[in-house]
Amino acid sequence: MIESKTPRILVSNDDGIDAEGLAVLERVAKKLSDDIWVVAPEQEQSGASHSLTLHVPVRARKRDARHYAISGTPTDCVLLAVKEIIPAKQKPNLILSGINRGSNAADDITYSGTVAAAMEGTILEVPSMALSLLTNDSDHPHWNTAEQHAPGIIQKLLKQGWPKGSFINLNFPNCAPDKVKGIRVCPQGKRLVSVGLLGRIDPKGRPYFWIGGERDNTANKAGVDVDLLHAGYITVTPISMDMTDHATMEKLSAVF
């Protein structure tokens, strides 16, 4: 299990190094430690999932002693930070990814670059958390809700600990800090309708598509992350990197 200690924190995201949510998360990190590194994508990488940049060079642009902008994906950022940028004797013992503008609950987990940064940290055996705020482009994001509640939640999670092969997915509702209904540890859910797809015709009569857009946030059942988040709760979901379906594996073993 991960033990509580004064952390050396790596902060990253998928919205880009100039994103407001990253600045909020850096302030959160500074409430937990004075040893902070920020390594984040140069440009927005939303939806990048757990992808690596393999066919073009990845460049790290130093903004100051502890802030680096990376030309690649969130996964690239964490890999470079841990393996190259942060000195070998100062490797992070906590990775915080986010705070994403938009929730990462239910099916979003498989697409999210924010979550992918936490995945890469977990693969590198660094305790990792992904943090996201339920909002969209038309909303006024209540960053202060995440900023106020996150430090205490992170401290409790570090004190409790979790297995090395897992990371924590943390989502905040988009409401004022005093309107949060509570904190719920809950499973990942599934939306009844996943990613949207909008078809259009260009001026030359050729079809094109926008992937994304408005989402149906109806959960497949009560008590899962997307259901509780939209009801006004902070959701805490432990995610395992072991994607083996053990029950089905046992059944298939009997066949073969």
Side-chain angles (χ1 to χ4, degrees), residues 16-89:
I17 195 162
D18 294 313
E20 187 173 2
L22 186 73
V24 174
L25 186 55
E26 186 174 3
R27 292 198 296 269
V28 168
K30 286 179 178 178
K31 294 178 182 178
L32 305 169
S33 173
D34 58 2
D35 192 352
I36 312 296
W37 292 76
V38 178
V39 182
E42 200 166 43
Q43 298 179 342
E44 183 174 348
Q45 294 283 338
S46 295
S49 188
H50 195 197
S51 58
L52 285 166
T53 301
L54 298 177
H55 303 293
V56 294
V58 178
R59 302 188 185 278
R61 295 177 173 87
K62 185 176 182 179
R63 290 195 166 186
D64 61 38
R66 294 196 175 205
H67 290 76
Y68 287 78
I70 307 300
S71 65
T73 67
T75 304
D76 298 332
C77 292
V78 172
L79 186 63
L80 281 172
V82 175
K83 295 286 190 178
E84 184 67 27
I85 293 173
I86 301 174
K89 293 182 179 180

Side-chain angles (χ1 to χ4, degrees), residues 78 95 97 113-123 126 128-130 167-168:
V78 172
I95 293 174
S97 179
T114 299
V115 171
M119 287 182 171
E120 188 64 18
T122 303
I123 288 172
V126 180
S128 300
M129 301 183 196
F167 64 92
I168 301 297

